[in-house]
Every structure is written in structure tokens, then in C-alpha cells.
Amino acid sequence: MHWFETQLAALNRLAADYLAAQRQSGGDIVNVSESARTKRAAFIDAVQALVDKVVKIKGIAACAAYHDGLILAQSAEVPHIDAFGAVIQETIRAAQHGQVSLSLGAIEQIVIVGADHKLAMLSVGPIILCIYSPKQVNLASVLSRQA
């Protein structure tokens, strides 16, 4: 497993921990809520840290993370941040319709390639991690190197 896959696996574990803490029910609502807040903060901090590392990789122009089309974390260089959110939300929605009708299973990644740039969208727990790069960049290759 290369560097980026390791990072995604760690984020997925943090997301699972957070979602499990949210589902907990019991007599001590205050402590359960504190646990959920702590796990949520750990997940969001880890998402921002990964975004910060990814954008430093040569060949990556921008990186951001969205939840339901709303920005959760971003690199300083993300152009047209609101447009990214809109494209992501609509693309994921369309893919989810295909997921059911084509029996694809859960959507893991989508890549849109334009004449100049490409946008990769990866599902990580409850978020979509977006990586924007020039078209000619081989994302698998550059993301396998540690930032």
C-alpha cells in the first residue's frame, strides 16, 4: 500500500470512529456527545492535514474536501471554490443514480478529464476529497509519493 492509500485508510478509520460515536446511545448523553465531538474534530483535522499534504505534491494544483457540496477543508490555491462544490454535488448525485441502476456498489472515485485539467473525486467516509491537476499529470503516480 503506498502513501496516499495509507492516508485514505487512516481517514476511513477516523470517519468510522466518528460515525460510531454518533450512533451511540446510552444513559450518559454528555459524555457520548463529548466523545462524538472529539472524534469529529480528529477526523476534520486529519482531512485538513491530508489536503495540506496533497497540495504540496508536484503536479497537484489544488485539493479540497466537501460534505454534501459544502467545503470542509481546502488548500489555499483552490480556484472557484463554490463551482467545485456545485460540480461535485451534481456529479456524485448522478453517479449515485448509476450506482443503483448499474449495480456498481458504493461510489469510490470519479475523474472528470477536461482539455486542460482534471478533477478526481474520492469518497472518504462521509466526505468527497477532490484533487485538481493539469490533464497530463498521472495522479496514481504522483500520489504514490509521500508529500
Side-chain angles (χ1 to χ4, degrees):
M1 184 179 301
H2 62 64
W3 173 81
F4 188 67
E5 289 174 326
T6 303
Q7 299 298 306
L8 293 180
L11 278 183
N12 276 315
R13 282 191 299 278
L14 288 170
D17 289 348
Y18 166 53
L19 294 173
Q22 275 187 315
R23 287 190 296 265
Q24 283 182 345
S25 62
D28 193 356
I29 294 172
V30 172
N31 287 334
V32 170
S33 296
E34 180 61 30
S35 173
R37 281 191 298 272
T38 301
K39 291 181 186 305
R40 179 180 185 275
F43 176 67
I44 291 171
D45 290 347
V47 169
Q48 184 64 59
L50 180 58
V51 165
D52 292 341
K53 289 177 186 174
V54 167
V55 78
K56 291 178 183 173
I57 297 171
K58 184 178 180 180
I60 303 296
C63 187
Y66 293 84
H67 183 265
D68 291 335
L70 301 173
I71 189 75
L72 181 67
Q74 73 181 65
S75 63
E77 300 83 12
V78 178
H80 314 292
I81 195 84
D82 293 332
F84 267 53
V87 167
I88 291 154
Q89 189 170 3
E90 290 304 310
T91 302
I92 294 297
R93 186 175 293 133
Q96 287 169 335
H97 289 294
Q99 161 189 336
V100 173
S101 62
L102 298 173
S103 301
L104 295 175
I107 301 299
E108 294 179 359
Q109 63 180 318
I110 300 169
V111 179
I112 299 174
V113 180
D116 299 321
H117 291 88
K118 62 182 150 191
L119 176 63
M121 296 170 265
L122 302 111
S123 295
V124 183
I127 66 153
I128 303 298
L129 181 68
C130 302
I131 302 170
Y132 183 70
S133 68
K135 177 183 177 181
Q136 70 276 9
V137 170
N138 180 323
L139 290 174
S141 177
V142 299
L143 290 171
S144 68
R145 298 181 221 134
Q146 188 168 1

mmCIF file of all heavy atoms in Angstrom, residues 4-31:
data_model
loop_
_atom_site.group_PDB
_atom_site.id
_atom_site.type_symbol
_atom_site.label_atom_id
_atom_site.label_comp_id
_atom_site.label_asym_id
_atom_site.label_seq_id
_atom_site.Cartn_x
_atom_site.Cartn_y
_atom_site.Cartn_z
ATOM 1 N N PHE A 4 -0.486 7.439 -0.231
ATOM 2 C CA PHE A 4 -1.821 8.014 -0.312
ATOM 3 C C PHE A 4 -2.882 7.015 0.133
ATOM 4 O O PHE A 4 -3.824 7.373 0.846
ATOM 5 C CB PHE A 4 -2.095 8.508 -1.737
ATOM 6 C CG PHE A 4 -3.376 9.289 -1.858
ATOM 7 C CD1 PHE A 4 -3.511 10.519 -1.233
ATOM 8 C CD2 PHE A 4 -4.434 8.792 -2.595
ATOM 9 C CE1 PHE A 4 -4.691 11.244 -1.344
ATOM 10 C CE2 PHE A 4 -5.608 9.506 -2.718
ATOM 11 C CZ PHE A 4 -5.748 10.734 -2.092
ATOM 12 N N GLU A 5 -2.741 5.766 -0.257
ATOM 13 C CA GLU A 5 -3.698 4.741 0.181
ATOM 14 C C GLU A 5 -3.683 4.594 1.695
ATOM 15 O O GLU A 5 -4.728 4.413 2.320
ATOM 16 C CB GLU A 5 -3.372 3.396 -0.469
ATOM 17 C CG GLU A 5 -3.663 3.352 -1.947
ATOM 18 C CD GLU A 5 -3.189 2.069 -2.592
ATOM 19 O OE1 GLU A 5 -2.148 1.518 -2.160
ATOM 20 O OE2 GLU A 5 -3.851 1.625 -3.534
ATOM 21 N N THR A 6 -2.504 4.693 2.298
ATOM 22 C CA THR A 6 -2.385 4.633 3.758
ATOM 23 C C THR A 6 -3.116 5.801 4.400
ATOM 24 O O THR A 6 -3.819 5.634 5.404
ATOM 25 C CB THR A 6 -0.896 4.638 4.165
ATOM 26 O OG1 THR A 6 -0.248 3.539 3.537
ATOM 27 C CG2 THR A 6 -0.726 4.541 5.665
ATOM 28 N N GLN A 7 -2.972 6.975 3.802
ATOM 29 C CA GLN A 7 -3.651 8.169 4.331
ATOM 30 C C GLN A 7 -5.173 8.009 4.238
ATOM 31 O O GLN A 7 -5.894 8.360 5.178
ATOM 32 C CB GLN A 7 -3.217 9.421 3.556
ATOM 33 C CG GLN A 7 -1.734 9.734 3.633
ATOM 34 C CD GLN A 7 -1.291 10.021 5.056
ATOM 35 O OE1 GLN A 7 -1.851 10.862 5.727
ATOM 36 N NE2 GLN A 7 -0.294 9.288 5.500
ATOM 37 N N LEU A 8 -5.658 7.510 3.116
ATOM 38 C CA LEU A 8 -7.097 7.303 2.945
ATOM 39 C C LEU A 8 -7.634 6.269 3.923
ATOM 40 O O LEU A 8 -8.720 6.435 4.486
ATOM 41 C CB LEU A 8 -7.420 6.894 1.509
ATOM 42 C CG LEU A 8 -7.194 7.951 0.431
ATOM 43 C CD1 LEU A 8 -7.554 7.387 -0.938
ATOM 44 C CD2 LEU A 8 -7.966 9.224 0.721
ATOM 45 N N ALA A 9 -6.869 5.208 4.146
ATOM 46 C CA ALA A 9 -7.289 4.185 5.107
ATOM 47 C C ALA A 9 -7.386 4.769 6.516
ATOM 48 O O ALA A 9 -8.340 4.474 7.253
ATOM 49 C CB ALA A 9 -6.314 3.009 5.083
ATOM 50 N N ALA A 10 -6.433 5.606 6.880
ATOM 51 C CA ALA A 10 -6.475 6.251 8.204
ATOM 52 C C ALA A 10 -7.694 7.161 8.322
ATOM 53 O O ALA A 10 -8.376 7.168 9.356
ATOM 54 C CB ALA A 10 -5.192 7.037 8.453
ATOM 55 N N LEU A 11 -7.995 7.921 7.267
ATOM 56 C CA LEU A 11 -9.181 8.784 7.290
ATOM 57 C C LEU A 11 -10.461 7.958 7.388
ATOM 58 O O LEU A 11 -11.388 8.338 8.107
ATOM 59 C CB LEU A 11 -9.242 9.656 6.033
ATOM 60 C CG LEU A 11 -8.399 10.916 6.024
ATOM 61 C CD1 LEU A 11 -8.639 11.691 4.733
ATOM 62 C CD2 LEU A 11 -8.682 11.789 7.222
ATOM 63 N N ASN A 12 -10.516 6.861 6.680
ATOM 64 C CA ASN A 12 -11.703 6.000 6.754
ATOM 65 C C ASN A 12 -11.898 5.447 8.158
ATOM 66 O O ASN A 12 -13.034 5.351 8.633
ATOM 67 C CB ASN A 12 -11.627 4.875 5.721
ATOM 68 C CG ASN A 12 -12.121 5.314 4.363
ATOM 69 O OD1 ASN A 12 -13.148 5.956 4.250
ATOM 70 N ND2 ASN A 12 -11.378 4.972 3.328
ATOM 71 N N ARG A 13 -10.812 5.102 8.845
ATOM 72 C CA ARG A 13 -10.923 4.629 10.240
ATOM 73 C C ARG A 13 -11.445 5.733 11.145
ATOM 74 O O ARG A 13 -12.326 5.500 11.983
ATOM 75 C CB ARG A 13 -9.575 4.114 10.741
ATOM 76 C CG ARG A 13 -9.220 2.727 10.249
ATOM 77 C CD ARG A 13 -8.013 2.151 10.975
ATOM 78 N NE ARG A 13 -6.798 2.936 10.788
ATOM 79 C CZ ARG A 13 -5.990 2.855 9.733
ATOM 80 N NH1 ARG A 13 -6.275 2.029 8.752
ATOM 81 N NH2 ARG A 13 -4.915 3.595 9.656
ATOM 82 N N LEU A 14 -10.907 6.953 10.983
ATOM 83 C CA LEU A 14 -11.375 8.079 11.794
ATOM 84 C C LEU A 14 -12.849 8.382 11.514
ATOM 85 O O LEU A 14 -13.616 8.687 12.438
ATOM 86 C CB LEU A 14 -10.521 9.317 11.534
ATOM 87 C CG LEU A 14 -9.105 9.284 12.093
ATOM 88 C CD1 LEU A 14 -8.294 10.458 11.559
ATOM 89 C CD2 LEU A 14 -9.130 9.284 13.620
ATOM 90 N N ALA A 15 -13.240 8.304 10.254
ATOM 91 C CA ALA A 15 -14.641 8.539 9.895
ATOM 92 C C ALA A 15 -15.547 7.485 10.524
ATOM 93 O O ALA A 15 -16.616 7.809 11.055
ATOM 94 C CB ALA A 15 -14.804 8.543 8.380
ATOM 95 N N ALA A 16 -15.122 6.233 10.483
ATOM 96 C CA ALA A 16 -15.908 5.152 11.088
ATOM 97 C C ALA A 16 -16.037 5.348 12.594
ATOM 98 O O ALA A 16 -17.116 5.139 13.168
ATOM 99 C CB ALA A 16 -15.273 3.795 10.776
ATOM 100 N N ASP A 17 -14.952 5.753 13.241
ATOM 101 C CA ASP A 17 -14.993 6.024 14.682
ATOM 102 C C ASP A 17 -15.981 7.141 14.998
ATOM 103 O O ASP A 17 -16.751 7.056 15.949
ATOM 104 C CB ASP A 17 -13.606 6.415 15.209
ATOM 105 C CG ASP A 17 -12.637 5.252 15.249
ATOM 106 O OD1 ASP A 17 -13.071 4.091 15.084
ATOM 107 O OD2 ASP A 17 -11.431 5.514 15.436
ATOM 108 N N TYR A 18 -15.941 8.199 14.190
ATOM 109 C CA TYR A 18 -16.844 9.329 14.402
ATOM 110 C C TYR A 18 -18.299 8.903 14.199
ATOM 111 O O TYR A 18 -19.165 9.202 15.028
ATOM 112 C CB TYR A 18 -16.480 10.482 13.461
ATOM 113 C CG TYR A 18 -17.528 11.557 13.365
ATOM 114 C CD1 TYR A 18 -18.032 12.173 14.509
ATOM 115 C CD2 TYR A 18 -18.038 11.944 12.147
ATOM 116 C CE1 TYR A 18 -19.010 13.150 14.428
ATOM 117 C CE2 TYR A 18 -19.007 12.927 12.054
ATOM 118 C CZ TYR A 18 -19.489 13.521 13.198
ATOM 119 O OH TYR A 18 -20.458 14.485 13.110
ATOM 120 N N LEU A 19 -18.575 8.173 13.117
ATOM 121 C CA LEU A 19 -19.944 7.742 12.850
ATOM 122 C C LEU A 19 -20.445 6.793 13.933
ATOM 123 O O LEU A 19 -21.604 6.863 14.332
ATOM 124 C CB LEU A 19 -20.041 7.097 11.469
ATOM 125 C CG LEU A 19 -19.790 8.053 10.298
ATOM 126 C CD1 LEU A 19 -19.738 7.299 8.979
ATOM 127 C CD2 LEU A 19 -20.830 9.153 10.260
ATOM 128 N N ALA A 20 -19.568 5.927 14.446
ATOM 129 C CA ALA A 20 -19.953 5.029 15.535
ATOM 130 C C ALA A 20 -20.264 5.817 16.805
ATOM 131 O O ALA A 20 -21.222 5.506 17.518
ATOM 132 C CB ALA A 20 -18.838 4.013 15.801
ATOM 133 N N ALA A 21 -19.474 6.841 17.090
ATOM 134 C CA ALA A 21 -19.719 7.671 18.276
ATOM 135 C C ALA A 21 -21.048 8.411 18.150
ATOM 136 O O ALA A 21 -21.747 8.609 19.145
ATOM 137 C CB ALA A 21 -18.574 8.658 18.472
ATOM 138 N N GLN A 22 -21.399 8.818 16.932
ATOM 139 C CA GLN A 22 -22.677 9.498 16.706
ATOM 140 C C GLN A 22 -23.855 8.570 16.974
ATOM 141 O O GLN A 22 -24.883 9.004 17.479
ATOM 142 C CB GLN A 22 -22.791 9.985 15.264
ATOM 143 C CG GLN A 22 -22.181 11.315 15.005
ATOM 144 C CD GLN A 22 -22.506 11.757 13.577
ATOM 145 O OE1 GLN A 22 -22.405 10.986 12.634
ATOM 146 N NE2 GLN A 22 -22.885 13.009 13.438
ATOM 147 N N ARG A 23 -23.712 7.311 16.629
ATOM 148 C CA ARG A 23 -24.809 6.343 16.763
ATOM 149 C C ARG A 23 -24.984 5.836 18.190
ATOM 150 O O ARG A 23 -26.006 5.237 18.507
ATOM 151 C CB ARG A 23 -24.580 5.168 15.828
ATOM 152 C CG ARG A 23 -24.824 5.488 14.368
ATOM 153 C CD ARG A 23 -24.808 4.226 13.522
ATOM 154 N NE ARG A 23 -23.505 3.581 13.538
ATOM 155 C CZ ARG A 23 -22.571 3.760 12.619
ATOM 156 N NH1 ARG A 23 -22.772 4.587 11.637
ATOM 157 N NH2 ARG A 23 -21.428 3.111 12.707
ATOM 158 N N GLN A 24 -23.973 6.022 19.001
ATOM 159 C CA GLN A 24 -24.063 5.501 20.367
ATOM 160 C C GLN A 24 -25.243 6.118 21.096
ATOM 161 O O GLN A 24 -25.530 7.294 20.965
ATOM 162 C CB GLN A 24 -22.791 5.822 21.154
ATOM 163 C CG GLN A 24 -21.637 4.937 20.826
ATOM 164 C CD GLN A 24 -20.428 5.293 21.675
ATOM 165 O OE1 GLN A 24 -20.377 6.348 22.288
ATOM 166 N NE2 GLN A 24 -19.460 4.410 21.704
ATOM 167 N N SER A 25 -25.897 5.301 21.826
ATOM 168 C CA SER A 25 -26.951 5.817 22.694
ATOM 169 C C SER A 25 -26.724 5.208 24.066
ATOM 170 O O SER A 25 -26.145 4.156 24.225
ATOM 171 C CB SER A 25 -28.329 5.449 22.148
ATOM 172 O OG SER A 25 -28.474 4.047 22.115
ATOM 173 N N GLY A 26 -27.160 5.907 25.044
ATOM 174 C CA GLY A 26 -26.950 5.402 26.386
ATOM 175 C C GLY A 26 -27.386 6.428 27.392
ATOM 176 O O GLY A 26 -27.951 7.471 27.056
ATOM 177 N N GLY A 27 -27.109 6.120 28.636
ATOM 178 C CA GLY A 27 -27.546 6.984 29.715
ATOM 179 C C GLY A 27 -26.739 8.257 29.854
ATOM 180 O O GLY A 27 -27.256 9.278 30.296
ATOM 181 N N ASP A 28 -25.467 8.221 29.477
ATOM 182 C CA ASP A 28 -24.603 9.390 29.691
ATOM 183 C C ASP A 28 -24.475 10.192 28.399
ATOM 184 O O ASP A 28 -23.476 10.133 27.699
ATOM 185 C CB ASP A 28 -23.228 8.931 30.179
ATOM 186 C CG ASP A 28 -22.405 10.092 30.708
ATOM 187 O OD1 ASP A 28 -22.870 11.257 30.623
ATOM 188 O OD2 ASP A 28 -21.291 9.839 31.183
ATOM 189 N N ILE A 29 -25.513 10.963 28.091
ATOM 190 C CA ILE A 29 -25.565 11.729 26.845
ATOM 191 C C ILE A 29 -24.442 12.751 26.768
ATOM 192 O O ILE A 29 -23.879 12.988 25.704
ATOM 193 C CB ILE A 29 -26.939 12.418 26.696
ATOM 194 C CG1 ILE A 29 -28.007 11.352 26.534
ATOM 195 C CG2 ILE A 29 -26.951 13.383 25.528
ATOM 196 C CD1 ILE A 29 -29.411 11.873 26.570
ATOM 197 N N VAL A 30 -24.058 13.345 27.870
ATOM 198 C CA VAL A 30 -23.000 14.362 27.866
ATOM 199 C C VAL A 30 -21.678 13.764 27.418
ATOM 200 O O VAL A 30 -21.006 14.299 26.543
ATOM 201 C CB VAL A 30 -22.863 15.020 29.257
ATOM 202 C CG1 VAL A 30 -21.647 15.930 29.298
ATOM 203 C CG2 VAL A 30 -24.123 15.771 29.614
ATOM 204 N N ASN A 31 -21.292 12.629 27.974
ATOM 205 C CA ASN A 31 -20.021 12.009 27.596
ATOM 206 C C ASN A 31 -20.056 11.447 26.183
ATOM 207 O O ASN A 31 -19.066 11.493 25.479
ATOM 208 C CB ASN A 31 -19.623 10.925 28.594
ATOM 209 C CG ASN A 31 -19.149 11.519 29.897
ATOM 210 O OD1 ASN A 31 -18.667 12.648 29.935
ATOM 211 N ND2 ASN A 31 -19.333 10.779 30.982
#
